Amino acid sequence: MKKIIIALFCITVVFALTSKEEKILIPNDSIRFRVIANSDDEKDQQLKMEIKESVEKEFNRLMLEARNINEARTLIEQDLQNIEKIINNYNIPYQMKFGQNYFPTKEYKGITYEEGEYESLVITLGSGLGKNWWCVMFPPLCLLEAEENNLNDVEYKSFVQTMLKKYLE
């Protein structure tokens, strides 16, 4: 009897350790935002974050007005000149593309952001050889970054699920 109990216990432990955690997938009906630094130099990375924060403030305001992806797309297209003005203040060469852009796979707090071509705004600073920063602009999940240090994994996943249901159903 002891051997059966030990065997069942071992099977349960192995199953628990190998079972996959439920993952939330960001749907294709989303718009991403990405800023790629000129290089991995500390100054270039700092500049990337400054530009990201300036542009993100503008988009956070806009995305809270959008009720669906079509409205989000229209608001972004109408605001691209304002974004260019913001970036021009930093006096750095850049490229900006709104459309289909490549993103590598990323997993963050149990949420999988799959590799692929996604509708997005990508700002490439200088030669674009540095690390990048990105988030989901619509639904407005970028708003989480300011709060992420205060959110545990469960709260983060719950918030993401709520936002996805609100904007994409």
Side-chain angles (χ1 to χ4, degrees), residues 47-59:
L47 181 61
K48 170 194 74 179
M49 294 308 290
E50 288 176 23
I51 291 172
K52 180 274 295 187
E53 288 170 12
S54 296
V55 172
E56 190 178 35
K57 285 179 188 175
E58 178 74 10
F59 280 126

Side-chain angles (χ1 to χ4, degrees), residues 133-167:
W133 172 94
W134 70 270
C135 71
V136 178
M137 186 182 342
F138 183 86
L141 301 180
C142 292
L143 295 172
L144 282 176
E145 182 170 298
E147 301 292 327
E148 77 180 50
N149 292 333
N150 299 325
L151 295 176
N152 63 40
D153 290 359
V154 173
E155 290 169 330
Y156 181 86
K157 288 170 79 173
S158 175
F159 183 84
V160 170
Q161 287 174 324
T162 300
M163 294 299 282
L164 291 174
K165 286 179 184 175
K166 177 179 177 182
Y167 286 95

Side-chain angles (χ1 to χ4, degrees), residues 98-151:
F98 180 55
Q100 294 294 311
N101 295 291
Y102 172 77
F103 281 74
T105 299
K106 179 179 179 178
E107 188 164 329
Y108 182 71
K109 293 193 176 197
I111 298 175
T112 300
Y113 302 88
E114 295 290 337
E115 171 186 30
E117 295 282 326
Y118 293 96
E119 183 173 9
S120 54
L121 175 71
V122 175
I123 299 169
T124 304
L125 304 174
S127 60
L129 299 175
K131 293 176 186 163
N132 74 94
W133 172 94
W134 70 270
C135 71
V136 178
M137 186 182 342
F138 183 86
L141 301 180
C142 292
L143 295 172
L144 282 176
E145 182 170 298
E147 301 292 327
E148 77 180 50
N149 292 333
N150 299 325
L151 295 176

Side-chain angles (χ1 to χ4, degrees), residues 18-43:
T18 59
S19 65
K20 292 185 178 179
E21 179 182 326
E22 178 188 357
K23 293 185 180 179
I24 300 169
L25 297 176
I26 301 301
N28 288 334
D29 284 349
S30 62
I31 301 174
R32 297 176 183 210
F33 172 45
R34 183 178 188 193
V35 181
I36 305 170
N38 179 51
S39 74
D40 285 338
D41 178 79
E42 186 177 326
K43 288 181 183 179

